[in-house]
Amino acid sequence: MSDYEMMVLDLDGTLLDSNSVLAEETKVILQNCMKKGKKIVLCSSRSYEEMGTIARELYEGCEGQYCIGFGGALCYTQDGQCIVEADPIETAVADHMITLAEKRRIHIHGYDETCLYYYRETNELETFLNFAKVTHIRMKKVSYEAFRQQYFHKLMCLGEMEKLEEYDNEISSIAGTAFSNPAGQQGYLDIVRLGISKGTGVEQLCRYLGIPIGRCICVGDGENDIPMLQRAGLGVAMKNGTDSVKAVADYVTPLSNNENAVGFLAAKFME
């Protein structure tokens, strides 16, 4: 019997293959672990609504599972009930970042617990919604003035990586930021309250469940996964992960996200 009680999984590039599909073999192995009392936690920069399709598929027939959303800001039950909530981005800080993005003509949208807010329709937003297969989240278009006054758990900028990197240099001292750049896609910049990360989200969920974080496996492939890998009892980097993720990991998978790496890990460490 494994000493590990919980496995925390990043989605894109980790649990999901390059076509954003959860492999049937992986699902069966993870469901068997859950039916034996293990916790399998989805952890993403997405909102619960954006994770919902995968959550429903993975947790079908299982109970007592959890998700972490917005890069660690919120923790949910498997059916979307928020159980742990960090403070949102400070309004003045959010307003400053929104104003700066508008000045630089960078697309920016934001999220509260259940809704995606935007103030201008852009090609960047349309591309993101299509690529991320966002279909279940409520969306609301508001005025620029109302957008500046709205509270957010996460802001997201979309566009050319060079422009996003210049923007990040101006805001990284006042907010938590993380980049992603899906192959062939525009760059994404996730922005949360300073001090929030996937690592703090895992800590909060472990505290809520009474599970020592040393009995937790965290698995990821990207820069924003590093904080949770560093805190876990076993931090696992994907074969297809970045070099910086592999550098902090306790273990690197011999398989990629297109080769059932998560199923291999669950069979090796959770059963």
Side-chain angles (χ1 to χ4, degrees), residues 112-232:
D112 64 11
E113 293 85 352
T114 61
C115 185
L116 183 159
Y117 294 87
Y118 65 104
Y119 63 91
R120 183 170 53 234
E121 295 173 359
T122 65
N123 291 333
E124 289 87 352
L125 179 60
E126 182 179 0
T127 299
F128 164 72
L129 295 174
N130 290 334
F131 176 77
K133 300 180 180 179
V134 177
T135 57
H136 290 84
I137 191 169
R138 186 165 62 94
M139 296 179 61
K140 185 175 182 180
K141 185 177 182 180
V142 298
S143 69
Y144 176 60
E145 292 73 21
F147 188 81
R148 290 177 59 186
Q149 296 172 17
Q150 173 67 33
Y151 82 89
F152 298 111
H153 284 292
K154 186 182 89 164
L155 290 164
M156 187 175 198
C157 292
L158 310 172
E160 299 174 4
M161 284 298 292
E162 183 177 350
K163 289 179 67 174
L164 294 183
E165 287 168 354
E166 292 174 355
Y167 176 76
D168 179 58
N169 287 335
E170 295 195 55
I171 68 167
S172 58
S173 64
I174 59 173
T177 61
F179 283 101
S180 57
N181 186 209
Q185 297 295 321
Q186 62 195 349
Y188 302 166
L189 178 63
D190 290 313
I191 305 167
V192 295
R193 186 183 179 98
L194 191 65
I196 298 296
S197 70
K198 287 186 176 182
T200 62
V202 172
E203 286 178 333
Q204 289 189 87
L205 183 58
C206 284
R207 194 176 304 119
Y208 177 84
L209 296 174
I211 295 175
I213 200 165
R215 302 186 72 173
C216 176
I217 301 173
C218 290
V219 191
D221 70 306
E223 308 302 306
N224 66 342
D225 297 315
I226 289 175
M228 70 175 184
L229 267 63
Q230 291 175 321
R231 289 167 167 83

Side-chain angles (χ1 to χ4, degrees), residues 4 6 26 46 83 87 94 136 138 150 162 168 184 210 224 236 246 256:
Y4 295 109
M6 186 164 83
T26 300
R46 306 181 191 184
I83 54 171
D87 291 332
H136 290 84
R138 186 165 62 94
Q150 173 67 33
E162 183 177 350
D168 179 58
N224 66 342
V236 178
K246 293 175 182 177
S256 74

Side-chain angles (χ1 to χ4, degrees), residues 32-49:
N32 286 338
C33 290
M34 289 185 278
K35 290 171 182 177
K36 294 176 182 178
K38 304 292 186 178
K39 302 296 184 189
I40 303 295
V41 177
L42 302 182
C43 184
S44 175
S45 297
R46 306 181 191 184
S47 66
Y48 175 81
E49 285 73 17

